[in-house]
Structure formats: C-alpha cells, structure tokens
C-alpha cells in the first residue's frame, strides 16, 4: 500500500517540478528542473513496478496484467517498467550533474 502512495507522490512531484521548467530560460535551472522532473518520473516507474509486484497485478496503458493469469507477461512487464525507471533515473542524474 505504501508504494501506491509513493507512486502518486512521485507523479505529483513530476508535475510540480515540470512547471518551473517551462517558466525558466536559464540553462542551468532548466537542467536542474528537468532533471528533477525526470528523476521523479523514474521513481514513479520504480514504485509502480514495486506496487505491481506486491499486488500481483500491474496496470499498463488501460490494461491490467495479472500474475495469476499471465505469469510470463506479468514478470516481463514488471522488469520492463523497472528497467525504464532505472534508465530515466540514470539520464536525470546525467542531465543534472554530468552534462556540461
């Protein structure tokens, strides 16, 4: 249940950090706000995958994939959502700290 709340918290954080991104023109602030927004999006994906594992079902694009009825597809979907979240987090860290 905690991952459901975390998922919605990161979704709200994604929107809240995306709004200042559209209002600033300084490149350094754009990197900070854009990276923060992407970081919250990646954390949303990871919490979505964790919530799906705990509940035994995951909702992707208006479809519900259940562990009991489609076990291979379920674990593939969980792995892909987790990998996508990890990739977005790595890209956000790169955008904030490494990119010149």
């Amino acid at each position: 249940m905690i991952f459901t709340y975390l998922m919605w918290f990161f979704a709200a954080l994604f929107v809240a950090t995306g709004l200042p991104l559209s209002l600033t023109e300084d490149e350094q602030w754009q990197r900070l706000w854009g990276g923060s927004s992407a970081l919250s999006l990646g954390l949303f994906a990871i919490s979505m995958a964790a919530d799906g594992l705990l509940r035994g079902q995951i909702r992707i694009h208006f479809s519900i994939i259940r562990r009991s009825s489609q076990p291979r597809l379920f674990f593939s979907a969980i792995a892909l959502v987790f990998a996508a979240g990890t990739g977005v987090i790595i890209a956000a860290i790169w955008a904030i700290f490494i990119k010149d």
Side-chain angles (χ1 to χ4, degrees), residues 19-39:
L19 291 175
L21 173 64
S22 64
L23 299 175
T24 185
E25 294 180 9
D26 185 24
E27 183 184 349
Q28 186 138 7
W29 283 105
Q30 284 179 344
R31 284 178 32 203
L32 177 67
W33 288 117
S36 300
S37 184
L39 186 65

Side-chain angles (χ1 to χ4, degrees), residues 72-95:
R72 279 195 216 161
L73 183 61
F74 174 77
F75 287 112
S76 296
I78 293 290
L80 287 174
V81 169
F82 184 76
T86 304
V88 169
I89 289 172
I90 291 169
I93 291 171
W94 176 80

Side-chain angles (χ1 to χ4, degrees), residues 1-11 43-55 82:
M1 189 76 167
I2 186 77
F3 287 108
T4 305
Y5 294 125
L6 281 175
M7 193 169 61
W8 289 111
F9 172 75
F10 290 133
L43 291 171
F44 170 79
I46 288 175
S47 62
M48 180 180 168
D51 185 55
L53 272 176
L54 290 178
R55 287 179 180 234
F82 184 76

